[in-house]
Coordinates of all heavy atoms in Angstrom, one line a residue:
M20 N -48.2 8.1 -19.5 CA -47.4 6.9 -19.5 C -46.2 7.0 -20.5 O -45.1 6.6 -20.2 CB -48.2 5.7 -19.7 CG -47.5 4.4 -19.5 SD -47.1 4.2 -17.8 CE -48.0 2.7 -17.5
K21 N -46.5 7.5 -21.7 CA -45.5 7.7 -22.7 C -44.4 8.7 -22.3 O -43.3 8.5 -22.6 CB -46.1 8.1 -24.0 CG -46.9 7.0 -24.7 CD -47.3 7.4 -26.0 CE -48.1 6.2 -26.7 NZ -48.3 6.4 -28.1
F22 N -44.8 9.7 -21.5 CA -43.9 10.7 -21.1 C -42.9 10.1 -20.1 O -41.7 10.3 -20.2 CB -44.6 11.9 -20.5 CG -43.7 13.0 -20.0 CD1 -43.0 13.8 -20.9 CD2 -43.5 13.2 -18.7 CE1 -42.2 14.8 -20.5 CE2 -42.6 14.2 -18.3 CZ -42.0 15.0 -19.2
N23 N -43.4 9.3 -19.2 CA -42.5 8.6 -18.2 C -41.6 7.7 -18.9 O -40.4 7.6 -18.5 CB -43.3 7.9 -17.2 CG -44.0 8.8 -16.2 OD1 -43.5 9.9 -16.0 ND2 -45.0 8.3 -15.5
Q24 N -42.0 7.0 -19.9 CA -41.2 6.0 -20.7 C -40.1 6.8 -21.4 O -39.0 6.4 -21.5 CB -42.1 5.2 -21.6 CG -41.3 4.1 -22.3 CD -42.2 3.3 -23.3 OE1 -43.4 3.7 -23.5 NE2 -41.7 2.3 -23.8
F25 N -40.5 8.0 -22.0 CA -39.5 8.8 -22.7 C -38.4 9.3 -21.7 O -37.3 9.3 -22.1 CB -40.3 10.0 -23.3 CG -39.3 11.0 -23.9 CD1 -38.8 10.8 -25.1 CD2 -39.0 12.2 -23.2 CE1 -37.9 11.8 -25.7 CE2 -38.1 13.1 -23.7 CZ -37.6 12.9 -25.0
L26 N -38.8 9.7 -20.5 CA -37.8 10.1 -19.5 C -36.9 9.0 -19.1 O -35.7 9.2 -19.0 CB -38.6 10.7 -18.3 CG -39.2 12.0 -18.4 CD1 -40.0 12.4 -17.1 CD2 -38.2 13.1 -18.8
K27 N -37.4 7.8 -18.9 CA -36.6 6.7 -18.5 C -35.6 6.3 -19.6 O -34.4 6.1 -19.4 CB -37.4 5.5 -18.2 CG -38.2 5.6 -16.9 CD -39.0 4.4 -16.7 CE -39.8 4.5 -15.4 NZ -40.7 3.4 -15.2
I28 N -36.0 6.3 -20.9 CA -35.1 6.0 -22.0 C -34.1 7.0 -22.2 O -32.9 6.7 -22.5 CB -36.0 5.7 -23.3 CG1 -36.9 4.5 -23.1 CG2 -35.1 5.6 -24.5 CD1 -37.9 4.3 -24.2
N29 N -34.4 8.3 -22.1 CA -33.5 9.4 -22.4 C -32.9 10.1 -21.1 O -32.5 11.2 -21.2 CB -34.2 10.4 -23.3 CG -34.6 9.8 -24.6 OD1 -33.7 9.3 -25.3 ND2 -35.8 9.9 -24.9
A30 N -32.9 9.4 -20.0 CA -32.5 10.0 -18.7 C -31.0 10.5 -18.8 O -30.7 11.6 -18.3 CB -32.7 9.0 -17.6
V31 N -30.2 9.7 -19.4 CA -28.7 10.1 -19.5 C -28.6 11.4 -20.4 O -27.9 12.3 -20.0 CB -27.9 9.0 -20.0 CG1 -26.4 9.4 -20.2 CG2 -27.9 7.8 -19.0
A32 N -29.3 11.4 -21.5 CA -29.2 12.5 -22.4 C -29.8 13.8 -21.8 O -29.2 14.9 -21.9 CB -29.9 12.2 -23.7
I33 N -30.9 13.6 -21.1 CA -31.5 14.8 -20.4 C -30.5 15.3 -19.3 O -30.4 16.5 -19.2 CB -32.9 14.4 -19.8 CG1 -33.8 14.1 -21.0 CG2 -33.4 15.5 -18.9 CD1 -35.1 13.5 -20.5
A34 N -29.9 14.4 -18.5 CA -29.0 14.8 -17.5 C -27.8 15.5 -18.1 O -27.3 16.5 -17.5 CB -28.5 13.6 -16.7
A35 N -27.3 15.0 -19.2 CA -26.2 15.7 -19.9 C -26.5 17.1 -20.3 O -25.7 18.0 -20.2 CB -25.7 14.8 -21.0
V36 N -27.7 17.2 -20.9 CA -28.1 18.6 -21.4 C -28.3 19.5 -20.2 O -27.9 20.7 -20.3 CB -29.4 18.5 -22.2 CG1 -30.0 19.8 -22.4 CG2 -29.2 17.7 -23.5
M37 N -28.8 19.0 -19.1 CA -29.0 19.9 -17.9 C -27.6 20.3 -17.3 O -27.4 21.4 -16.9 CB -29.9 19.2 -16.9 CG -31.3 19.1 -17.3 SD -32.4 18.1 -16.2 CE -32.3 19.2 -14.7
F38 N -26.7 19.3 -17.3 CA -25.4 19.6 -16.7 C -24.7 20.6 -17.6 O -24.0 21.5 -17.1 CB -24.6 18.3 -16.7 CG -23.2 18.4 -16.1 CD1 -23.0 18.7 -14.8 CD2 -22.1 18.4 -17.0 CE1 -21.7 18.8 -14.3 CE2 -20.8 18.5 -16.5 CZ -20.6 18.7 -15.1
T39 N -24.7 20.4 -18.9 CA -24.1 21.4 -19.8 C -24.7 22.8 -19.7 O -24.0 23.8 -19.7 CB -24.2 20.9 -21.3 OG1 -23.7 19.6 -21.4 CG2 -23.5 21.8 -22.2
G40 N -26.0 22.8 -19.6 CA -26.7 24.1 -19.4 C -26.2 24.8 -18.1 O -26.0 26.0 -18.1
A41 N -26.1 24.0 -17.0 CA -25.6 24.6 -15.8 C -24.2 25.1 -15.9 O -23.9 26.2 -15.4 CB -25.7 23.5 -14.7
L42 N -23.4 24.4 -16.6 CA -22.0 24.9 -16.7 C -21.9 26.1 -17.6 O -21.1 27.0 -17.3 CB -21.1 23.8 -17.4 CG -20.7 22.6 -16.5 CD1 -19.9 21.6 -17.3 CD2 -19.9 23.1 -15.3
M43 N -22.7 26.2 -18.6 CA -22.7 27.3 -19.5 C -23.3 28.6 -18.9 O -23.1 29.7 -19.4 CB -23.5 27.0 -20.8 CG -22.8 25.9 -21.6 SD -21.1 26.2 -22.1 CE -21.4 27.3 -23.4
S44 N -24.0 28.4 -17.8 CA -24.6 29.6 -17.2 C -23.6 30.4 -16.4 O -23.8 31.6 -16.1 CB -25.8 29.2 -16.3 OG -25.3 28.4 -15.2
F45 N -22.4 29.8 -16.1 CA -21.4 30.5 -15.4 C -20.5 31.3 -16.4 O -20.2 30.7 -17.5 CB -20.5 29.6 -14.6 CG -21.2 28.9 -13.5 CD1 -21.6 27.6 -13.6 CD2 -21.4 29.6 -12.3 CE1 -22.3 27.0 -12.5 CE2 -22.1 29.0 -11.2 CZ -22.5 27.7 -11.4
K46 N -20.2 32.5 -16.1 CA -19.4 33.3 -17.0 C -18.0 32.8 -16.8 O -17.4 32.8 -15.8 CB -19.5 34.8 -16.6 CG -18.7 35.6 -17.5 CD -18.8 37.1 -17.2 CE -18.0 37.9 -18.1 NZ -18.1 39.3 -17.8
I47 N -17.4 32.5 -18.0 CA -16.0 32.0 -18.0 C -15.1 33.2 -18.1 O -15.2 34.0 -19.0 CB -15.8 31.0 -19.1 CG1 -16.6 29.8 -19.0 CG2 -14.3 30.6 -19.2 CD1 -16.6 28.9 -20.2
V48 N -14.2 33.4 -17.1 CA -13.3 34.5 -17.1 C -12.1 34.2 -18.0 O -11.4 33.2 -17.8 CB -12.8 34.8 -15.7 CG1 -11.8 35.9 -15.7 CG2 -14.0 35.1 -14.8
E49 N -11.9 35.1 -19.0 CA -10.7 34.9 -19.8 C -9.5 35.3 -19.2 O -9.4 36.4 -18.5 CB -10.9 35.7 -21.1 CG -12.0 35.1 -22.0 CD -12.1 35.9 -23.3 OE1 -11.1 36.5 -23.7 OE2 -13.2 35.9 -23.9
K50 N -8.4 34.5 -19.3 CA -7.1 34.9 -18.8 C -6.5 35.9 -19.6 O -6.4 35.8 -20.8 CB -6.3 33.6 -18.7 CG -4.9 33.8 -18.1 CD -4.2 32.5 -18.0 CE -2.8 32.8 -18.5 NZ -2.0 31.6 -18.6
K51 N -6.0 37.0 -19.0 CA -5.3 38.1 -19.8 C -4.0 37.5 -20.2 O -3.3 37.0 -19.4 CB -5.2 39.3 -18.9 CG -4.6 40.5 -19.7 CD -4.5 41.7 -18.9 CE -3.8 42.8 -19.7 NZ -3.6 44.0 -18.9
A52 N -3.6 37.8 -21.4 CA -2.4 37.3 -21.9 C -1.2 38.1 -21.2 O -1.3 39.3 -21.0 CB -2.3 37.5 -23.4
A53 N -0.2 37.3 -20.8 CA 0.9 38.0 -20.2 C 1.8 38.6 -21.2 O 2.0 38.0 -22.3 CB 1.7 36.9 -19.4
E54 N 2.2 39.8 -21.0 CA 3.1 40.5 -21.9 C 4.5 40.7 -21.3 O 4.6 40.6 -20.1 CB 2.5 41.8 -22.3 CG 2.0 42.7 -21.2 CD 1.1 43.8 -21.6 OE1 0.4 43.7 -22.5 OE2 1.2 44.8 -20.9
T55 N 5.5 41.0 -22.1 CA 6.8 41.2 -21.7 C 7.2 42.6 -22.0 O 7.0 43.1 -23.1 CB 7.8 40.2 -22.3 OG1 7.4 38.9 -22.1 CG2 9.2 40.4 -21.8
Q56 N 7.8 43.3 -21.0 CA 8.2 44.7 -21.3 C 9.7 44.7 -21.4 O 10.4 44.1 -20.6 CB 7.8 45.6 -20.1 CG 8.1 47.0 -20.3 CD 7.5 47.9 -19.3 OE1 6.4 47.8 -19.0 NE2 8.4 48.8 -18.7
F57 N 10.2 45.4 -22.4 CA 11.6 45.6 -22.6 C 11.9 47.1 -22.5 O 11.1 47.9 -22.8 CB 12.0 45.1 -24.0 CG 11.9 43.6 -24.2 CD1 10.7 43.1 -24.6 CD2 13.0 42.8 -24.1 CE1 10.6 41.7 -24.8 CE2 12.9 41.4 -24.3 CZ 11.7 40.9 -24.7
Y58 N 13.2 47.4 -22.2 CA 13.6 48.8 -22.3 C 14.9 48.9 -23.0 O 15.7 47.9 -23.1 CB 13.8 49.4 -20.9 CG 14.9 48.9 -20.0 CD1 16.1 49.5 -20.0 CD2 14.8 47.8 -19.3 CE1 17.2 49.1 -19.3 CE2 15.8 47.3 -18.5 CZ 17.0 47.9 -18.5 OH 18.1 47.4 -17.8
Y59 N 15.1 50.0 -23.7 CA 16.3 50.2 -24.5 C 17.5 50.5 -23.6 O 17.5 51.4 -22.8 CB 16.1 51.4 -25.5 CG 17.2 51.5 -26.5 CD1 17.4 50.6 -27.5 CD2 18.1 52.6 -26.5 CE1 18.4 50.7 -28.4 CE2 19.1 52.7 -27.4 CZ 19.2 51.8 -28.4 OH 20.2 51.9 -29.3
N60 N 18.5 49.6 -23.7 CA 19.6 49.6 -22.7 C 20.9 49.9 -23.4 O 21.9 49.2 -23.3 CB 19.6 48.3 -22.0 CG 20.5 48.2 -20.8 OD1 20.8 49.2 -20.2 ND2 21.1 47.1 -20.5
S61 N 20.9 51.0 -24.1 CA 22.1 51.4 -24.9 C 22.1 52.9 -25.1 O 21.1 53.5 -25.1 CB 22.2 50.7 -26.2 OG 23.3 51.1 -27.0
S62 N 23.3 53.5 -25.3 CA 23.5 54.9 -25.6 C 23.6 55.1 -27.1 O 23.7 56.2 -27.6 CB 24.7 55.5 -24.9 OG 25.8 54.8 -25.3
D63 N 23.6 54.0 -27.8 CA 23.7 54.1 -29.3 C 22.5 54.6 -29.9 O 21.4 54.0 -29.7 CB 24.0 52.7 -29.8 CG 24.4 52.7 -31.3 OD1 24.4 53.7 -31.9 OD2 24.6 51.6 -31.9
V64 N 22.6 55.7 -30.7 CA 21.4 56.3 -31.4 C 21.6 56.3 -32.9 O 20.9 57.0 -33.6 CB 21.1 57.7 -30.8 CG1 20.6 57.6 -29.4 CG2 22.3 58.6 -31.0
T65 N 22.6 55.6 -33.4 CA 22.8 55.5 -34.8 C 21.7 54.8 -35.5 O 21.0 54.0 -34.9 CB 24.2 54.8 -35.2 OG1 24.1 53.5 -34.7 CG2 25.4 55.5 -34.6
E66 N 21.5 55.1 -36.8 CA 20.3 54.6 -37.5 C 20.4 53.0 -37.5 O 21.4 52.4 -37.7 CB 20.3 55.0 -39.0 CG 19.1 54.6 -39.8 CD 17.8 55.0 -39.1 OE1 17.7 56.1 -38.6 OE2 16.9 54.1 -39.0
G67 N 19.2 52.4 -37.1 CA 19.1 51.0 -37.1 C 19.4 50.4 -35.7 O 19.1 49.2 -35.5
S68 N 20.0 51.2 -34.8 CA 20.3 50.7 -33.5 C 19.1 50.3 -32.6 O 19.2 49.4 -31.8 CB 21.3 51.6 -32.7 OG 20.6 52.9 -32.5
F69 N 18.0 51.1 -32.8 CA 16.8 50.8 -32.0 C 16.2 49.5 -32.3 O 15.5 48.9 -31.5 CB 15.8 51.9 -32.2 CG 16.3 53.3 -31.7 CD1 15.6 54.4 -32.0 CD2 17.4 53.5 -30.9 CE1 16.0 55.7 -31.6 CE2 17.8 54.7 -30.5 CZ 17.1 55.8 -30.9
S70 N 16.4 49.0 -33.5 CA 15.8 47.7 -33.9 C 16.8 46.5 -33.6 O 16.4 45.3 -33.9 CB 15.4 47.7 -35.4 OG 16.6 47.8 -36.2
D71 N 17.9 46.7 -33.0 CA 18.8 45.7 -32.6 C 18.4 45.1 -31.2 O 18.5 45.8 -30.2 CB 20.2 46.2 -32.5 CG 21.3 45.2 -32.1 OD1 20.9 44.0 -31.9 OD2 22.5 45.5 -32.1
V72 N 17.9 43.9 -31.2 CA 17.3 43.3 -30.0 C 18.3 43.1 -28.9 O 18.0 43.0 -27.8 CB 16.6 42.0 -30.3 CG1 15.3 42.2 -31.2 CG2 17.5 41.0 -30.9
N73 N 19.6 43.1 -29.3 CA 20.7 42.9 -28.3 C 20.9 44.2 -27.5 O 21.5 44.1 -26.4 CB 22.0 42.6 -29.0 CG 21.9 41.2 -29.7 OD1 21.4 40.3 -29.1 ND2 22.4 41.2 -30.9
K74 N 20.3 45.3 -27.9 CA 20.4 46.5 -27.1 C 19.2 46.8 -26.2 O 19.0 47.8 -25.7 CB 20.6 47.7 -28.1 CG 21.9 47.5 -28.8 CD 22.1 48.7 -29.8 CE 23.5 48.4 -30.4 NZ 23.8 49.4 -31.4
W75 N 18.3 45.8 -26.1 CA 17.1 45.8 -25.2 C 17.3 44.9 -24.1 O 17.9 43.8 -24.2 CB 15.9 45.5 -26.1 CG 15.6 46.6 -27.1 CD1 16.1 46.7 -28.3 CD2 14.6 47.6 -27.0 NE1 15.6 47.8 -29.0 CE2 14.6 48.3 -28.2 CE3 13.7 47.9 -26.0 CZ2 13.8 49.4 -28.4 CZ3 12.9 49.0 -26.2 CH2 12.9 49.7 -27.4
A76 N 16.7 45.2 -22.9 CA 16.7 44.3 -21.8 C 15.3 44.2 -21.3 O 14.4 45.1 -21.4 CB 17.6 44.9 -20.7
I77 N 15.0 43.1 -20.6 CA 13.7 42.9 -20.0 C 13.6 43.7 -18.7 O 14.5 43.7 -17.9 CB 13.4 41.4 -19.7 CG1 13.4 40.6 -21.1 CG2 12.2 41.1 -19.0 CD1 13.2 39.1 -20.9
G78 N 12.4 44.3 -18.5 CA 12.2 45.1 -17.3 C 11.8 46.5 -17.6 O 11.4 46.8 -18.7
T79 N 12.0 47.4 -16.7 CA 11.8 48.8 -16.8 C 13.1 49.6 -16.5 O 13.9 49.2 -15.7 CB 10.7 49.3 -15.9 OG1 11.0 49.0 -14.5 CG2 9.3 48.6 -16.2
S80 N 13.2 50.7 -17.2 CA 14.4 51.5 -17.0 C 14.1 52.6 -16.0 O 13.1 53.3 -16.1 CB 14.8 52.1 -18.4 OG 15.9 53.1 -18.2
P81 N 15.0 52.8 -15.1 CA 14.8 53.9 -14.1 C 15.0 55.3 -14.7 O 14.5 56.3 -14.2 CB 15.9 53.6 -13.0 CG 16.9 52.8 -13.7 CD 16.2 52.0 -14.8
S82 N 15.7 55.4 -15.8 CA 16.0 56.7 -16.4 C 15.2 56.9 -17.7 O 15.7 57.6 -18.6 CB 17.5 56.8 -16.7 OG 17.9 55.9 -17.6
C83 N 14.1 56.4 -17.7 CA 13.3 56.4 -19.0 C 13.0 57.8 -19.6 O 13.1 58.0 -20.8 CB 11.9 55.7 -18.7 SG 10.9 55.5 -20.1
L84 N 12.8 58.8 -18.7 CA 12.5 60.1 -19.3 C 13.6 61.1 -19.3 O 13.4 62.2 -19.6 CB 11.3 60.7 -18.4 CG 10.0 59.9 -18.5 CD1 9.0 60.4 -17.5 CD2 9.5 59.8 -19.9
T85 N 14.8 60.7 -18.9 CA 15.9 61.6 -18.8 C 17.1 61.3 -19.7 O 18.2 61.8 -19.5 CB 16.4 61.8 -17.4 OG1 16.8 60.5 -16.9 CG2 15.3 62.3 -16.5
S86 N 17.0 60.4 -20.6 CA 18.2 59.9 -21.3 C 18.2 60.3 -22.8 O 18.8 59.6 -23.6 CB 18.3 58.4 -21.2 OG 18.4 58.1 -19.8
G87 N 17.5 61.3 -23.3 CA 17.6 61.7 -24.7 C 16.5 61.0 -25.5 O 15.6 60.3 -25.1
D88 N 16.6 61.3 -26.8 CA 15.6 60.9 -27.8 C 15.9 59.4 -28.2 O 16.4 59.1 -29.3 CB 15.7 61.8 -29.0 CG 14.5 61.6 -29.9 OD1 13.5 61.0 -29.5 OD2 14.5 62.2 -31.0
R89 N 15.5 58.5 -27.4 CA 15.6 57.1 -27.6 C 14.3 56.4 -27.2 O 13.5 57.0 -26.4 CB 16.8 56.5 -26.7 CG 18.1 57.1 -27.1 CD 19.2 56.4 -26.3 NE 19.1 56.8 -24.9 CZ 19.7 56.1 -23.9 NH1 20.5 55.1 -24.2 NH2 19.6 56.5 -22.7
P90 N 14.1 55.2 -27.6 CA 12.9 54.5 -27.2 C 13.0 54.2 -25.7 O 14.0 54.1 -25.1 CB 12.9 53.2 -28.0 CG 14.3 53.0 -28.4 CD 14.9 54.4 -28.5
C91 N 11.8 54.2 -25.0 CA 11.8 54.0 -23.6 C 11.5 52.5 -23.3 O 12.3 51.8 -22.8 CB 10.7 54.9 -22.9 SG 10.6 54.6 -21.2
K92 N 10.3 52.1 -23.7 CA 9.9 50.7 -23.5 C 9.2 50.1 -24.7 O 8.7 50.9 -25.5 CB 9.0 50.6 -22.3 CG 7.7 51.2 -22.4 CD 6.9 51.1 -21.1 CE 5.5 51.7 -21.3 NZ 4.7 51.6 -20.1
M93 N 9.2 48.9 -24.8 CA 8.5 48.1 -25.8 C 7.8 47.0 -25.1 O 8.4 46.2 -24.4 CB 9.5 47.6 -26.8 CG 9.0 47.0 -28.0 SD 8.2 48.2 -29.1 CE 9.4 49.4 -29.4
I94 N 6.5 46.9 -25.4 CA 5.7 45.9 -24.8 C 5.4 44.8 -25.8 O 4.8 45.2 -26.9 CB 4.4 46.4 -24.2 CG1 4.7 47.4 -23.0 CG2 3.5 45.3 -23.7 CD1 3.6 48.2 -22.5
V95 N 5.7 43.6 -25.6 CA 5.5 42.5 -26.5 C 4.5 41.6 -26.0 O 4.6 41.1 -24.9 CB 6.9 41.7 -26.7 CG1 6.7 40.6 -27.7 CG2 7.9 42.7 -27.2
P96 N 3.4 41.4 -26.7 CA 2.3 40.5 -26.2 C 2.8 39.0 -26.1 O 3.8 38.6 -26.7 CB 1.3 40.6 -27.3 CG 1.6 41.7 -28.2 CD 3.1 41.9 -28.0
E97 N 2.1 38.3 -25.3 CA 2.4 36.9 -25.1 C 2.4 36.1 -26.4 O 1.5 36.4 -27.2 CB 1.4 36.2 -24.1 CG 1.7 34.8 -23.8 CD 0.6 34.1 -22.9 OE1 -0.5 34.5 -23.0 OE2 1.0 33.3 -22.1
G98 N 3.3 35.3 -26.6 CA 3.4 34.5 -27.8 C 4.2 35.2 -28.9 O 4.6 34.7 -29.9
G99 N 4.6 36.5 -28.7 CA 5.4 37.3 -29.6 C 6.8 37.4 -29.1 O 7.1 37.0 -28.0
N100 N 7.6 38.0 -29.9 CA 9.0 38.3 -29.5 C 9.4 39.6 -30.0 O 8.8 40.2 -30.9 CB 10.0 37.2 -29.8 CG 10.1 37.0 -31.3 OD1 10.4 37.9 -32.1 ND2 10.0 35.8 -31.8
L101 N 10.4 40.2 -29.4 CA 10.9 41.5 -29.7 C 11.4 41.6 -31.2 O 11.1 42.6 -31.8 CB 12.0 41.9 -28.7 CG 12.5 43.4 -28.8 CD1 11.3 44.3 -28.5 CD2 13.6 43.6 -27.8
E102 N 12.1 40.6 -31.6 CA 12.6 40.6 -33.0 C 11.4 40.7 -34.0 O 11.5 41.5 -35.0 CB 13.3 39.3 -33.3 CG 13.9 39.2 -34.7 CD 14.9 40.2 -35.1 OE1 15.7 40.6 -34.2 OE2 15.0 40.6 -36.2
D103 N 10.3 40.0 -33.8 CA 9.2 40.2 -34.7 C 8.6 41.6 -34.7 O 8.0 42.0 -35.7 CB 8.1 39.2 -34.3 CG 8.5 37.7 -34.6 OD1 9.4 37.5 -35.4 OD2 7.8 36.8 -34.1
Q104 N 8.7 42.2 -33.5 CA 8.0 43.5 -33.4 C 8.9 44.7 -33.9 O 8.3 45.6 -34.5 CB 7.7 43.8 -31.9 CG 6.8 45.0 -31.7 CD 6.1 44.9 -30.4 OE1 6.0 43.9 -29.8 NE2 5.6 46.1 -30.0
I105 N 10.2 44.6 -33.8 CA 11.0 45.7 -34.2 C 12.1 45.4 -35.2 O 12.8 46.3 -35.7 CB 11.7 46.4 -33.0 CG1 12.7 45.5 -32.3 CG2 10.7 47.0 -32.0 CD1 13.5 46.1 -31.2
G106 N 12.3 44.1 -35.5 CA 13.4 43.7 -36.4 C 13.2 44.4 -37.8 O 12.2 44.4 -38.4
G107 N 14.3 45.0 -38.2 CA 14.4 45.6 -39.6 C 13.7 47.0 -39.7 O 13.7 47.6 -40.7
L108 N 13.2 47.6 -38.6 CA 12.6 48.9 -38.6 C 13.7 50.0 -38.5 O 14.8 49.8 -37.9 CB 11.6 49.0 -37.5 CG 10.4 48.1 -37.5 CD1 9.5 48.4 -36.3 CD2 9.6 48.2 -38.8
T109 N 13.3 51.2 -39.0 CA 14.2 52.3 -38.8 C 14.0 52.8 -37.4 O 13.1 52.5 -36.7 CB 13.9 53.5 -39.8 OG1 12.5 53.9 -39.5 CG2 13.9 53.0 -41.2
N110 N 14.9 53.7 -36.9 CA 14.8 54.3 -35.6 C 13.5 55.1 -35.4 O 12.8 55.0 -34.4 CB 16.0 55.3 -35.3 CG 17.2 54.5 -35.0 OD1 17.3 53.3 -35.0 ND2 18.3 55.2 -34.7
A111 N 13.1 55.8 -36.5 CA 11.8 56.6 -36.4 C 10.6 55.6 -36.3 O 9.7 55.9 -35.5 CB 11.7 57.4 -37.6
Q112 N 10.7 54.5 -37.0 CA 9.6 53.5 -36.9 C 9.5 52.9 -35.5 O 8.4 52.7 -35.0 CB 9.7 52.4 -38.0 CG 9.5 52.9 -39.4 CD 9.9 51.9 -40.4 OE1 10.9 51.2 -40.3 NE2 9.1 51.8 -41.5
V113 N 10.6 52.6 -34.9 CA 10.6 52.0 -33.6 C 10.1 53.1 -32.6 O 9.3 52.7 -31.7 CB 12.0 51.6 -33.1 CG1 12.1 51.2 -31.7 CG2 12.5 50.4 -34.0
L114 N 10.5 54.3 -32.7 CA 10.0 55.4 -31.8 C 8.5 55.6 -31.9 O 7.8 55.9 -31.0 CB 10.7 56.7 -32.1 CG 12.1 56.8 -31.6 CD1 12.8 58.1 -32.1 CD2 12.2 56.7 -30.1
S115 N 8.0 55.3 -33.1 CA 6.5 55.6 -33.3 C 5.6 54.4 -32.8 O 4.4 54.6 -32.7 CB 6.2 55.8 -34.8 OG 6.4 54.6 -35.5
I116 N 6.2 53.3 -32.5 CA 5.4 52.2 -32.0 C 4.7 52.5 -30.7 O 3.5 52.3 -30.5 CB 6.2 50.9 -31.9 CG1 6.7 50.4 -33.2 CG2 5.5 49.8 -31.1 CD1 7.6 49.2 -33.2
H117 N 5.4 53.1 -29.7 CA 4.8 53.4 -28.4 C 5.0 54.9 -28.2 O 6.1 55.4 -28.5 CB 5.4 52.6 -27.3 CG 5.1 51.2 -27.3 ND1 3.8 50.7 -27.0 CD2 5.8 50.1 -27.6 CE1 3.8 49.4 -27.1 NE2 5.0 49.0 -27.5
S118 N 4.0 55.5 -27.6 CA 4.2 57.0 -27.4 C 5.1 57.3 -26.2 O 5.5 58.4 -26.0 CB 2.8 57.6 -27.1 OG 2.2 56.9 -26.0
T119 N 5.4 56.3 -25.4 CA 6.3 56.5 -24.2 C 7.7 56.2 -24.7 O 8.3 55.2 -24.6 CB 5.9 55.5 -23.1 OG1 5.9 54.2 -23.6 CG2 4.6 55.8 -22.5
E120 N 8.3 57.3 -25.2 CA 9.7 57.2 -25.7 C 10.5 58.3 -24.9 O 10.0 59.3 -24.4 CB 9.7 57.4 -27.2 CG 9.1 58.7 -27.6 CD 8.8 58.7 -29.1 OE1 8.3 57.7 -29.6 OE2 9.1 59.7 -29.7
R121 N 11.8 58.1 -24.9 CA 12.7 59.1 -24.2 C 12.8 60.3 -25.0 O 12.9 60.3 -26.2 CB 14.0 58.4 -24.0 CG 14.0 57.2 -23.1 CD 15.3 56.6 -23.0 NE 15.2 55.5 -22.1 CZ 16.2 54.6 -21.9 NH1 17.4 54.8 -22.4 NH2 16.0 53.6 -21.1
R122 N 12.7 61.4 -24.3 CA 12.9 62.7 -25.0 C 13.9 63.6 -24.2 O 14.1 63.4 -23.0 CB 11.5 63.5 -24.9 CG 10.5 62.9 -25.8 CD 10.8 63.1 -27.2 NE 9.8 62.5 -28.1 CZ 10.0 62.3 -29.4 NH1 11.2 62.6 -29.9 NH2 9.1 61.7 -30.1
P123 N 14.6 64.5 -25.0 CA 15.6 65.3 -24.3 C 14.9 66.3 -23.3 O 13.8 66.6 -23.3 CB 16.2 66.1 -25.4 CG 15.4 65.9 -26.6 CD 14.5 64.7 -26.4

């Protein structure tokens, strides 16, 4: 009798715990962060030019592997920006960020 009384009094709490347990049993799929890809869109190879965000464009370059010793692409994670990633770096530092860089 006491068990039935306990169930009646706490029915809402019991239902809430069961509902929460049912929801938690499903695996929640994490959304992959969207990233932005930039490519170096300039023939300028003077020191510091690779870190100039005005010389980069969004997308992919069709001549990535045939245009000399310049960076090819830069991938910026969602929530970041290109300036934060390459601003103030030397050309060698920018080239070392990604292994996919332009080579002669």
